[in-house]
Amino acid sequence: MLLILLALVVTAGAAGGAYYYLRGNPDAAAKAAVKPPQDPIFVALEPFTVNLQPNGRNRFLHVAVTLKVSDIKSQSQLVQYMPEVRSRVLTTLSNRASDSLVTAEEKNLLATEILTVLNRPFAANLPSAAISSAMFTTFMLQ
């Protein structure tokens, strides 16, 4: 009787080991399922120089803007519609008063406005470009 019980325990252990071996390591499968972070995609726009709204004297703003997009499709859409992208940014920049671009919060607000205008669809049948942020790489106010 003891011999039969011992044989059953050994057989169950061997079956369990074989099942684990043939099924694979669940931790390795979970690690393989986690996707590595995607490299960021940036689209640099040519620098802009605009006259600002008069506030008693002529002021100029020179900025370079870089956009961070979520995917290659959005990147190609921005490149395809670059004249409209530049026009939207130029209009947004030139409608500012020079005294509204002094603090960091005001610059962040301008970046948010640029992001909002560029996330609108460029054509009626197109989805919006997936732009996650607009960053100033150059910002000179004179």
Side-chain angles (χ1 to χ4, degrees):
M1 182 74 153
L2 184 60
L3 189 60
I4 294 174
L5 186 58
L6 184 62
L8 284 175
V9 169
V10 169
T11 305
Y19 174 75
Y20 180 78
Y21 177 76
L22 293 175
R23 194 181 113 221
N25 187 348
D27 292 335
K31 289 179 184 176
V34 174
K35 294 182 180 179
Q38 186 179 10
D39 291 335
I41 302 171
F42 295 102
V43 178
L45 305 180
E46 292 291 321
F48 297 87
T49 303
V50 296
N51 293 325
L52 297 174
Q53 295 295 315
N55 230 10
R57 61 183 179 166
N58 290 333
R59 301 287 307 256
F60 298 94
L61 176 65
H62 178 79
V63 294
V65 179
T66 299
L67 305 172
K68 185 177 181 182
V69 296
S70 301
D71 53 26
I72 293 176
K73 184 178 177 183
S74 295
Q75 179 187 27
S76 63
Q77 185 179 16
L78 286 173
V79 170
Q80 180 181 3
Y81 286 90
M82 189 56 70
E84 188 165 348
V85 169
R86 289 191 54 82
S87 175
R88 288 182 185 186
V89 173
L90 190 61
T91 302
T92 303
L93 293 173
S94 62
N95 285 332
R96 305 294 287 199
S98 61
D99 59 353
S100 70
L101 297 172
V102 178
T103 67
E105 293 84 26
E106 293 167 338
K107 293 173 187 173
N108 288 336
L109 179 63
L110 179 60
T112 303
E113 288 178 22
I114 290 171
L115 188 63
T116 302
V117 218
L118 292 180
N119 272 325
R120 291 190 323 227
F122 294 109
N125 58 348
L126 280 178
S128 299
I131 306 170
S132 58
S133 65
M135 299 159 283
F136 296 114
T137 53
T138 301
F139 198 99
M140 288 191 294
L141 181 62
Q142 289 191 353

